[in-house]
Amino acid sequence: MPRVPPRAATVAAPEPASPKTAETETERVSPPPFEIAGHAIAAGAQATIEIPVSILSDHTPMSLTVHVAHGREAGPAVFVSAAIHGDEILGVEIIRRLIRTPEMRHIAGTVVFVPIVNIFGFLNHTRYLPDRRDLNRSFPGATTGSLASRLARLFMDEVVARCEIGVDIHSAAIHRENLPQIRIGPDSPRAAELARAFAAPVIIHSRLREGSLRTAARELGKDVLVYESGEALRFDETGIRLGTKGVLRVLTALGMLPPDRRLTPVLSPVHSRRSSWLRAPIGGVLRSRRAVGHRVEIGELVATLSDPLGGKQTLVTATAAGLIIGRTLLPIVNEGDALFHVAEIEDPPAADASMEALSAALSGDPLFDEEKVL
């Protein structure tokens, strides 16, 4: 496909090393430069690189912006990505804060940040690419396929293939909201361990979908944690803070950051291996009585539906017991529309405790110094 000439990388020089004893200096071996898209980032340096993607119909060049933090000491390579769906912008802010976090200057190993994967959807405030394809159903892609397929292939070759672990950040689709949650595939002890370290309120064990980034990465032997929170085209401070700390906890669990008491989890995640959507029995005006984070029992009243004049009212009751992890935000619904996403929980009392801890988890958080990060 047409390519624009590679742009020069913006590179921050390695920071001066702190004074060490002669013995320590002898023992430590700096890793080789990290190579990506034809650029080499030296140990201890950070660089922002523009990887050419395509040229628009008006000949505007489009590129994938990647920021690399390459540590002075050897360690794993991890990618953190967002906006695979172009309107799911919560992860863009999480990555911005991570890059500005002082801890990134002392990383061991390498972190590859990709704040906007679907640049086309991001510019147009839409989930999809210009050809209406879903990028997260286009992996692993092909160099001679559709625009979505080519972008997927580029991301796989330049980012996923160079890393061992990934954290991919999403939010709910338009007009919905999600409770902060981590999604992992089945049968991966490493992913399960890192999901616990992330410490979101809920860990969803979900099947791998054909064409998704998780599936394509698994075929390469790499695990991807999917963090879901909030809604499309909106920022949610709780979800942003929890996601920022969650990524830092994952890096700590991998030995890439030293332990930090400010990252100590205040809640224990609960697990779910099955979830379902409660759908509207009729069309009408919806008045929700439950929000994300509420635990419901079978038969519990969760909403009412009525005609616009209020003459006829239908009660909507839960058909499954569990925790509400997603819901619609639209009060106008048609018959069959998805209303509440309910996850069956293995330990219901633990879910209640997790929600109570979440409500107070991030107030007055000492990790977030506004002058340094926000």
Side-chain angles (χ1 to χ4, degrees):
M1 62 179 171
R3 292 292 184 92
V4 297
R7 302 183 190 178
T10 303
V11 181
E15 293 195 0
S18 56
K20 302 285 184 180
T21 64
E23 180 181 1
T24 302
E25 288 291 350
T26 301
E27 292 175 354
R28 191 177 73 176
V29 178
S30 295
F34 184 82
E35 297 184 358
I36 182 170
H39 298 278
I41 296 94
Q46 296 195 26
T48 300
I49 296 167
E50 304 288 342
I51 304 176
V53 174
S54 71
I55 297 176
L56 296 182
S57 56
D58 66 351
H59 278 220
T60 299
M62 301 292 284
S63 61
L64 186 70
T65 301
V66 176
H67 184 84
V68 179
H70 188 36
R72 288 184 174 278
E73 299 181 21
V78 176
F79 73 83
V80 185
S81 57
I84 277 184
H85 294 133
D87 60 356
E88 297 180 6
I89 63 173
L90 183 123
V92 180
E93 176 63 7
I94 289 174
I95 289 177
R96 187 190 72 83
R97 296 189 188 187
L98 285 168
I99 292 172
R100 291 174 57 85
T101 300
E103 283 75 9
M104 281 303 115
R105 296 197 295 266
H106 309 291
I107 198 81
T110 308
V111 185
V112 180
F113 296 103
V114 190
I116 305 169
V117 181
N118 181 359
I119 47 182
F120 307 94
F122 182 83
L123 291 174
N124 292 304
H125 301 175
T126 180
R127 178 183 183 91
Y128 304 106
L129 281 96
D131 57 5
R132 294 294 297 169
R133 282 181 168 86
D134 185 334
L135 182 58
N136 208 27
R137 295 295 179 268
S138 303
F139 289 96
T143 56
T144 57
S146 66
L147 180 60
S149 184
R150 295 178 187 216
L151 178 56
R153 184 74 262 168
L154 178 69
F155 187 76
M156 290 294 296
D157 291 344
E158 294 293 352
V159 178
V160 179
R162 302 177 191 276
C163 298
E164 301 165 39
I165 301 286
V167 181
D168 189 34
I169 305 172
H170 288 257
S171 64
I174 191 76
H175 303 314
R176 293 181 181 176
E177 69 170 330
N178 279 341
L179 180 75
Q181 59 196 260
I182 282 287
R183 298 190 174 203
I184 58 173
D187 307 321
S188 176
R190 178 175 64 171
E193 179 183 356
L194 294 176
R196 287 191 294 271
F198 194 104
V202 186
I203 298 174
I204 308 291
H205 300 259
S206 58
R207 65 183 178 87
L208 299 175
R209 292 180 177 271
E210 184 178 356
S212 69
L213 172 60
R214 278 200 298 161
T215 300
R218 176 66 70 86
E219 291 173 354
L220 295 180
K222 303 163 190 294
D223 287 309
V224 175
L225 309 181
V226 173
Y227 175 59
E228 292 263 6
S229 184
E231 56 180 301
L233 297 176
R234 298 290 185 273
F235 283 171
D236 171 73
E237 188 62 25
T238 296
I240 290 170
R241 291 192 172 203
L242 199 153
T244 304
K245 295 190 76 168
V247 173
L248 292 174
R249 291 189 188 108
V250 168
L251 299 179
T252 301
L254 291 169
M256 301 171 69
L257 289 175
D260 188 331
R261 61 179 179 81
R262 296 173 300 173
L263 297 175
T264 302
V266 297
L267 54 86
S268 297
V270 294
H271 293 259
S272 173
R273 301 180 187 276
R274 180 182 175 86
S275 65
S276 59
W277 277 94
L278 175 61
R279 297 185 176 274
I282 64 169
V285 179
L286 178 73
R287 294 185 298 280
S288 297
R289 293 173 177 254
R290 294 292 182 269
V292 294
H294 278 112
R295 188 165 63 88
V296 296
E297 300 292 344
I298 294 177
E300 182 176 339
L301 179 65
V302 294
T304 59
L305 278 165
S306 68
D307 64 78
L309 297 177
K312 181 180 179 181
Q313 182 167 280
T314 299
L315 303 182
V316 182
T317 58
T319 56
L323 187 69
I324 297 176
I325 61 171
R327 70 175 183 120
T328 183
L329 296 174
L330 279 176
I332 310 303
V333 300
N334 292 308
E335 182 175 341
D337 282 356
L339 303 181
F340 296 93
H341 192 189
V342 180
E344 298 180 16
I345 300 299
E346 298 175 358
D347 186 352
D352 294 338
S354 181
M355 292 305 101
E356 291 176 5
L358 177 64
S359 64
L362 299 174
S363 60
D365 196 321
L367 178 66
F368 295 93
D369 183 331
E370 292 189 1
E371 293 184 358
K372 294 180 180 179
V373 178
L374 302 182

